[in-house]
């Protein structure tokens, strides 16, 4: 099972691409990364943005790292995105995703993705409004996936989130989204399963497990984000953590049982910005060691 890492740990810390590239390859012993758009914003002016993208790609190549994909980070997760009640705001989000595809291609990655947006309280409470937003979302994803194909990408990844006003937020919604898009897009649309999200007790109950998602969704899962949680929030802790309840060995077993042993697993430990830099490096290193050991069991 191939373990890689999302570069969210580098945000507001290791801003020189060669620094995180050296750390990932030389210190962590990993060969696969996922670039977060918190390090490279698709909205930046194209000339300067593209130069930054090439520097990131060059640093990864210099350290023999594969950039698997580029992904929504914290900054772009905050807007309502493709589910905004304002049609002009949705159009802006669509433009952002088109530009995100362009940047991903420059990085030499094959996939782009992330969470899709948030319904307003009003739209979520009105069945007709929710249905309209969902229909718009499907059309938007067809547009984005087709643009991804046009610039040479091979996959678009959707991440379910543990917020009831986001889509998809449940196993059933995730399955419905993938089925509704089947055959409509030029590149496949798959799921990124965040393990911490699957354990969110306020939405999924105290007995929720990653297997509750892995087993029914199966081949639709094209990527796994691995992080630690207590099931009461979305902290993206690493290992060890006194409140953490993610059993990495069980996650690995569930993936293998579902025939997903070859699906990339990317560590997504997101330290607090205030945390000590040396402590963050130690936490990332201990998390990688823990996950390598337990995924192999």
């Amino acid at each position: 099972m191939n373990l890689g890492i999302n570069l969210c740990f580098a945000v507001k810390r290791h801003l020189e691409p060669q620094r995180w590239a050296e750390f990932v390859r030389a210190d962590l012993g990993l060969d696969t990364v996922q670039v977060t758009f918190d390090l490279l914003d698709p909205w930046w002016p194209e000339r300067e943005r593209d130069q930054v993208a090439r520097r990131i790609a060059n640093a990864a190549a210099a350290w023999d790292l594969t950039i698997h994909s580029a992904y929504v980070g914290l900054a772009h997760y905050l807007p309502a995105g493709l589910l905004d009640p304002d049609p002009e705001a949705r159009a802006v989000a669509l433009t952002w995703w088109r530009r995100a595809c362009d940047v991903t291609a420059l990085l030499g990655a094959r996939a782009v993705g992330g969470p899709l947006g948030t319904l307003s309280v009003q739209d979520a409470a009105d069945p007709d409004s929710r249905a309209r937003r969902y229909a718009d979302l499907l059309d938007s994803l067809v547009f984005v996936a087709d643009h991804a194909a046009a610039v040479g990408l091979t996959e678009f990844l959707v991440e379910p989130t543990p917020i009831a006003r986001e889509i998809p937020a449940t196993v059933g919604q995730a399955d419905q989204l993938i089925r509704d898009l089947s055959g409509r897009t030029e590149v496949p649309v798959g799921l990124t399963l965040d393990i911490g999200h699957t354990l969110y007790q306020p939405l999924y109950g105290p007995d929720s497990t990653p297997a509750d998602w892995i087993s029914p969704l199966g081949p639709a899962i094209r990527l796994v984000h691995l992080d630690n949680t207590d099931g009461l929030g979305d902290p993206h802790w690493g290992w060890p953590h006194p409140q953490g309840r993610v059993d990495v060995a069980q996650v690995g077993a569930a993936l293998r049982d579902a025939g997903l042993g070859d699906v990339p697993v990317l560590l997504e430990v997101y330290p607090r910005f205030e945390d000590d830099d040396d402590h963050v490096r130690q936490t990332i290193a201990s998390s990688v060691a823990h996950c390598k050991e337990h995924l192999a069991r």
Side-chain angles (χ1 to χ4, degrees), residues 101-175:
C101 292
D102 297 341
V103 172
T104 302
L106 277 175
L107 291 169
R110 66 179 182 84
V112 65
L116 302 175
T118 308
L119 291 165
S120 70
V121 172
Q122 180 172 318
D123 275 351
D126 182 339
D128 290 339
S129 294
R130 189 181 184 107
R132 286 195 297 271
R133 291 291 78 73
Y134 182 68
D136 289 341
L137 178 66
L138 294 178
D139 290 342
S140 295
L141 289 175
V142 170
F143 174 86
V144 174
D146 288 354
H147 185 72
V151 297
L153 307 185
T154 61
E155 228 171 8
F156 185 85
L157 302 170
V158 173
E159 180 171 344
T161 61
I163 298 176
R165 286 184 291 101
E166 300 195 356
I167 299 175
T170 66
V171 172
Q173 289 175 6
D175 179 65

Side-chain angles (χ1 to χ4, degrees), residues 251-272:
V251 172
L255 290 171
R256 285 188 289 271
D257 289 347
L260 303 176
D262 293 333
V263 169
V265 177
L266 301 181
L267 188 70
E268 194 182 33
V269 174
Y270 210 137
R272 297 175 303 178

Side-chain angles (χ1 to χ4, degrees), residues 51-70:
Q51 290 175 350
V52 174
R54 292 187 184 98
R55 283 195 285 271
I56 290 174
N58 290 340
W63 284 95
D64 199 22
L65 294 171
T66 297
I67 300 177
H68 170 273
S69 47

Side-chain angles (χ1 to χ4, degrees), residues 277-288:
D277 294 337
D278 289 338
H279 176 70
V280 168
R281 290 173 68 92
Q282 293 166 10
T283 298
I284 298 299
S286 66
S287 299
V288 168

